[in-house]
Amino acid sequence: MRTPFCRLPALPAFLLALVFALGASPARAQAEPDTPAPAATPAQILQQSSDQLDAVKKALADAQKNKATSPSPPLADLRTSTLQVQDQARQLVASLAPQMTALQAQLSVLGPAPAKGAPPEAPEVAAQRRQQDKAQAALNAQIVQAKSLGLDAQQLVVQITGLRDDAFQARLTARTNTPLGPVFWSDQARALPNDMLRVQRLADRWSEAWSDAWEPPNRQPLLLCFAAALLLLVAGRWSLQRLWQFVAARWLPQGHLRRSAMAAVMALSTTLVIGVAAQLVHAGIAWGETLDADLDTMATSAVRAIYFAALMAGLGSALLSAKRASWRLLPLSNAAAGRLRRFPWLIGGAALLTGLTERVIRSIGSSLPATVFLHALLALLITGLVALVLLQLHRARHEQGAADDEQAPRPWWSGVLRLGATLGVGLCWLAVCLGYIALAFFIAAQMLWTGLVAASLYLLLQLARDLAEALLASRTHAVPRAKAAHDLPPETQEQVITVLAGLVRVALVLAALALVLAPFYTGPGELVQRTLQLFGKLQLGQLPISVGTIFQAILVFVVGLLLLRMLKRWLAERLLPTTSMEAGLRESIVTLLGYLGSVLVFGLALVALNVNLQSIAWIASALSVGIGFGLQAVVQNFISGLILLVERPVKVGDWVSLSSEIEGDIRRINVRATEIQLWDRSTVIVPNSQLITQNVRNVTHGSAQGRVRILLPMPLDTDAARARQLIVDALKAHPSTLGTPAPMVQLDNINASSMTFSIVSYVRSPRDVAAVKSDILFDILRRLREAQLPLSTPQSMVVRTLGPLGEDSPAVPSQTS
């Protein structure tokens, strides 16, 4: 049974590139060929793939016959080899498809062969046709053979996967003698001498390898690697963390992002320092090829186990942060964190011991009793540590409850993890007592892996959340820079960041579930292949859906919208303002370009998604009746909006009047409706169809001029000619008054008490009428006062005072105006 260490991929080799470069052999460099090997032909690839698939079938038949041997490792190798054949067949079909398309195009140029009785074609054309037909037949045969190989490999992969599942389930349900009985221990006593002999042989091989590594040619690289590993262990982690604190203090904003990023750096620094130190030790021992294949494989597995254990210890220590409560991510008290501060390293040590024990068991070929005993011991060790963690948490919470009257509520996932850990510990101990050692070891190892995945998921979720909060915070410079670069409103930026953060969190949760729920014996490469195959088989009707096409379509859509936005911005701000077009026409051009470009980008995204546009046209025609009835008003407004943008009876900036209540300036013409701003700065949303089907008064249509008209009453005894001249002078003195048409002052009416002057002048825009009228009235009043021409006739009033006997006193005349 394989442990969780098989899931960890090897870390990048560049971390040790300098060390390995020091010992690179010149002879090896000279042995490299100067010219690359010629590429294999499709026929050679088909032959090699067929031979490889036949070898897999033969090995699978031999493995099924020999039931005594352990089937898992050979079955895993056979599955990998079969997947390689399947990938080669798929790539070959993809590479031959363009050649087939080119041949078909050449045959279409030649046209169909002449029918019987028709005049024969030219000899050159007939020879070319025969050559093209022969090449097409050969290419078609290769494509059919490659597809057949891919299908055969796919079926074989399914068969091997089923055999692996059956073998794995058989192991889990296998029962041995219980450790509580004497038979179990008697088997251990009988097998112990042979097992000790195997261990002694392995120790002798390592002793011999160490002696070879200590020889003078290899001693200096060995000491250098050991010194570098010791230096890393002593100062590497401290240096990385101090460097990160400097970078965070200088570049990261204040807030939770520093805390979560520091936890991630602590975990990674612990993993890298310990793992790279282990790789340096391995490189020093194996410098002069002192390790044989088996010992080198064991050393590589040990390095992988050390990485796993270091990652587990680093994650646990970073999440607990027992010494600095302000850096702690887990919702734990100081007392609980202090109680648990040693357990990450203890559990990591148990994980390392598990990985090393598994590798030694495979290398020496230990007996079944010894394997069962070691598995039982490791299962009890791991679950015992988990039980101690649960006990310490319970005690810490009990002490906190005794000290505080009100306890802080625990998150829901905390209870789920505790319940799962408790059930796992109980089931593991029960399985050991009943003799199901393989099941107990599987539960214990799975608890290690699940704990590592859960801790990594928690840290990454916190990091994603804190990063989103930092981007949305007003004190960061990310949002203003994005706004300056892309001209996006703050609300849109917040929505984009929130959606992206949510997508990242969902992707992290799905990845964690896939890692936990995947078959226990799957490695990282196989897990990725299974995921790609799962999503590659999705199909919506006749449309195949794969992860690659979805991401390609999203990329095409996003890049297309960005390019369209840049083009619209360039037209609106750079090109069109340099032309003689008015603002409304420029706005219409940019809006129409946006509509057409959006449709084009959407179509390109559908093409990238392998959607047949002809089928979409058929669906649209089938739904046209329903759209006509259900969305009649929407379609009518959309078509009306296009008419407004093309015909332009009204445009952006026009002063329009639809009724006594709706009169104002057009601010924007959208797809469905038009925005009209009234004089009180409120906005009315008018459907586009009303601007087409109803009577609309466009005050500024066609660059209309504004007319200023004033009715000015004056007394009958006023000098009309002099008043007229004063008014004409006032009109001509205003700078907004146009000379053509010339201003006019006419007598509009005469009655018993007054005469009325009709004053008319013209300005460049109707929007200037109110301001110009006010200015002219002020100027006319000033001129009339200076000329002492009143605007009204003084009224006479006779006041009579009655005497005591009712006699009238002399009348006193008075004048009022």
Side-chain angles (χ1 to χ4, degrees):
M1 183 181 299
R2 298 178 70 181
T3 58
F5 312 107
C6 65
R7 300 183 180 186
L8 289 177
L11 288 183
F14 69 89
L15 295 173
L16 296 176
L18 180 60
V19 178
F20 287 123
L22 293 175
S25 174
R28 183 178 301 175
Q30 294 176 0
E32 294 180 356
D34 296 335
T35 58
T41 62
Q44 293 175 349
I45 295 176
L46 288 173
Q47 186 62 38
Q48 294 174 1
S49 301
S50 180
D51 295 341
Q52 186 175 355
L53 199 60
D54 293 338
V56 170
K57 292 180 180 179
K58 184 178 181 301
L60 183 61
D62 296 339
Q64 288 179 338
K65 292 179 181 178
N66 190 5
K67 298 294 184 180
T69 58
S70 177
S72 295
L75 286 180
D77 297 338
L78 293 179
R79 188 178 188 277
T80 302
S81 180
T82 309
L83 288 175
Q84 292 177 357
V85 173
Q86 187 178 3
D87 292 338
Q88 289 176 359
R90 186 184 301 112
Q91 294 174 3
L92 185 59
V93 171
S95 62
L96 294 180
Q99 301 180 21
M100 178 62 73
T101 304
L103 285 175
Q104 291 176 353
Q106 293 176 4
L107 287 173
S108 63
V109 171
L110 295 177
K116 293 183 179 180
E121 56 187 358
E124 296 81 2
V125 176
Q128 187 177 4
R129 185 187 302 279
R130 287 192 299 269
Q131 183 181 0
Q132 297 294 340
D133 289 337
K134 183 178 179 181
Q136 184 181 15
L139 190 60
N140 188 35
Q142 291 179 350
I143 293 177
V144 171
Q145 186 179 358
K147 291 182 177 180
S148 177
L149 277 176
L151 182 60
D152 197 5
Q154 182 179 359
Q155 296 175 353
L156 196 58
V157 167
V158 174
Q159 181 182 358
I160 295 174
T161 303
L163 292 175
R164 293 177 70 188
D165 294 339
D166 295 340
F168 183 72
Q169 293 175 5
R171 289 186 178 187
L172 290 183
T173 56
R175 183 179 182 183
T176 60
N177 296 320
T178 173
L180 302 179
V183 179
F184 179 85
W185 299 105
S186 61
D187 293 339
Q188 299 297 327
R190 286 193 299 268
L192 182 59
N194 293 330
D195 290 328
M196 292 302 298
L197 182 60
R198 295 187 181 97
V199 173
Q200 184 62 39
R201 291 174 181 172
L202 180 63
D204 294 340
R205 293 171 58 192
W206 275 106
S207 177
E208 183 180 354
W210 175 260
S211 299
D212 295 339
W214 191 251
E215 293 296 327
N218 303 323
R219 183 180 302 175
Q220 183 178 1
L222 176 64
L223 293 177
L224 288 176
C225 289
F226 271 57
L230 183 61
L231 181 62
L232 269 179
L233 292 176
V234 172
R237 185 185 177 195
W238 181 87
S239 302
L240 288 177
Q241 293 181 6
R242 292 300 181 274
L243 177 62
W244 173 251
Q245 289 178 7
F246 172 76
V247 173
R250 188 166 184 177
W251 299 103
L252 289 185
Q254 293 284 347
H256 292 168
L257 180 60
R258 288 189 181 184
R259 183 187 63 176
S260 56
M262 187 62 197
V265 169
M266 289 176 62
L268 290 177
S269 62
T270 303
T271 305
L272 289 177
V273 166
I274 298 178
V276 172
Q279 283 191 331
L280 285 172
V281 173
H282 176 209
I285 297 175
W287 193 271
E289 299 181 358
T290 57
L291 300 179
D292 56 20
D294 187 39
L295 293 182
D296 189 69
T297 303
M298 183 184 300
T300 304
S301 300
V303 171
R304 187 176 300 175
I306 290 174
Y307 269 115
F308 184 90
L311 180 59
M312 183 169 291
L315 271 175
S317 301
L319 294 178
L320 287 177
S321 186
K323 295 182 179 180
R324 297 191 179 184
S326 59
W327 291 2
R328 187 177 304 139
L329 294 180
L330 290 176
L332 294 175
S333 62
N334 293 333
R339 286 177 174 271
L340 299 178
R341 67 181 183 276
R342 295 186 180 89
F343 281 94
W345 295 96
L346 292 176
I347 296 177
L352 175 59
L353 182 61
T354 303
L356 295 178
T357 304
E358 278 290 286
R359 187 66 254 179
V360 170
I361 288 174
R362 292 185 183 180
S363 297
I364 67 175
S366 63
S367 62
L368 181 60
T371 303
V372 170
F373 172 74
L374 291 175
H375 283 175
L377 186 62
L378 291 173
L380 292 176
L381 175 62
I382 295 171
T383 53
L385 290 174
V386 175
L388 287 177
V389 170
L390 296 176
L391 181 61
Q392 294 295 335
L393 286 175
H394 177 73
R395 289 180 178 177
R397 187 169 181 82
H398 182 70
E399 293 176 358
Q400 185 180 3
D404 301 335
D405 295 334
E406 296 182 0
Q407 296 183 2
R410 293 182 298 178
W412 63 270
W413 53 264
S414 175
V416 173
L417 289 180
R418 292 187 182 185
L419 178 60
T422 304
L423 291 177
V425 170
L427 289 176
C428 183
W429 291 355
L430 180 62
V432 170
C433 294
L434 295 179
Y436 293 97
I437 307 299
L439 178 60
F441 182 70
F442 166 75
I443 294 174
Q446 190 72 356
M447 289 177 67
L448 284 178
W449 176 251
T450 304
L452 178 63
V453 173
S456 303
L457 175 65
Y458 183 79
L459 176 58
L460 293 177
L461 289 178
Q462 292 290 330
L463 187 61
R465 186 192 67 181
D466 295 341
L467 180 60
E469 291 178 356
L471 291 177
L472 292 175
S474 58
R475 58 179 175 270
T476 61
H477 299 284
V479 171
R481 288 177 182 176
K483 182 178 180 181
H486 304 289
D487 196 20
L488 293 176
E491 296 81 4
T492 304
Q493 296 179 33
E494 293 181 5
Q495 295 171 3
V496 170
I497 294 174
T498 304
V499 170
L500 290 179
L503 292 177
V504 170
R505 293 169 68 89
V506 171
L508 290 175
V509 173
L510 292 178
L513 290 176
L515 289 173
V516 172
L517 300 179
F520 186 69
Y521 47 78
T522 55
E526 184 176 349
L527 183 61
V528 173
Q529 290 177 352
R530 286 193 174 203
T531 304
L532 294 178
Q533 288 180 359
L534 174 63
F535 287 99
K537 294 180 181 178
L538 297 179
Q539 191 169 359
L540 181 62
Q542 299 297 327
L543 175 64
I545 300 177
S546 63
V547 178
T549 55
I550 291 176
F551 278 107
Q552 184 179 358
I554 294 175
L555 180 63
V556 170
F557 188 73
V558 172
V559 173
L561 289 182
L562 290 177
L563 293 177
L564 178 62
R565 186 181 184 87
M566 293 173 60
L567 178 61
K568 290 172 59 179
R569 191 174 178 182
W570 178 75
L571 286 175
E573 298 179 1
R574 297 294 182 86
L575 179 62
L576 294 181
T578 60
T579 63
S580 59
M581 300 180 185
E582 57 185 13
L585 179 58
R586 297 199 299 266
E587 182 72 19
S588 300
I589 292 175
V590 173
T591 305
L592 275 177
L593 178 63
Y595 293 157
L596 296 176
S598 300
V599 174
L600 178 61
V601 168
F602 183 72
L604 292 176
L606 292 180
V607 171
L609 202 57
N610 296 328
V611 177
N612 189 0
L613 297 182
Q614 185 177 2
S615 61
I616 295 179
W618 281 104
I619 295 175
S621 61
L623 295 178
S624 59
V625 178
I627 292 176
F629 286 102
L631 301 177
Q632 184 178 3
V634 176
V635 175
Q636 182 181 7
N637 290 323
F638 177 75
I639 299 301
S640 300
L642 295 180
I643 294 175
L644 291 176
L645 292 174
V646 175
E647 188 178 341
R648 302 178 67 245
V650 295
K651 59 183 182 297
V652 175
D654 282 356
W655 176 5
V656 298
S657 175
L658 275 73
S659 63
S660 59
E661 298 180 355
I662 302 177
E663 182 174 357
D665 296 330
I666 295 179
R667 292 304 180 191
R668 188 173 182 180
I669 301 177
N670 296 319
V671 177
R672 190 194 63 84
T674 298
E675 299 177 6
I676 299 178
Q677 184 177 358
L678 305 183
W679 306 124
D680 58 357
R681 297 297 178 180
S682 62
T683 301
V684 178
I685 309 299
V686 179
N688 292 331
S689 59
Q690 293 188 13
L691 299 176
I692 298 297
T693 59
Q694 296 183 6
N695 296 327
V696 179
R697 177 173 173 261
N698 192 340
V699 180
T700 57
H701 183 67
S703 299
Q705 297 175 348
R707 189 182 73 157
V708 180
R709 186 170 185 268
I710 303 173
L711 296 177
L712 181 64
M714 296 189 71
L716 280 176
D717 58 353
T718 301
D719 187 351
R722 185 181 177 188
R724 180 179 182 275
Q725 186 62 40
L726 290 174
I727 295 172
V728 170
D729 293 340
L731 293 177
K732 293 182 178 180
H734 198 281
S736 298
T737 302
L738 297 179
T740 304
M744 296 182 300
V745 179
Q746 299 174 339
L747 274 176
D748 184 68
N749 188 21
I750 298 178
N751 54 29
S753 60
S754 66
M755 66 180 76
T756 302
F757 288 94
S758 176
I759 306 169
V760 177
S761 67
Y762 294 91
V763 293
R764 294 185 180 278
S765 173
R767 302 182 187 281
D768 301 334
V769 170
V772 173
K773 182 177 180 179
S774 176
D775 295 341
I776 291 176
L777 284 175
F778 277 114
D779 194 16
I780 290 175
L781 288 176
R782 181 183 61 80
R783 292 173 183 267
L784 291 177
R785 285 194 180 97
E786 292 177 354
Q788 297 182 353
L789 294 177
L791 292 178
S792 61
T793 303
Q795 298 180 358
S796 298
M797 182 175 63
V798 179
V799 181
R800 294 181 180 274
T801 304
L802 296 176
L805 299 177
E807 297 179 354
D808 292 341
S809 60
V812 179
S814 64
Q815 288 186 350
T816 62
S817 59

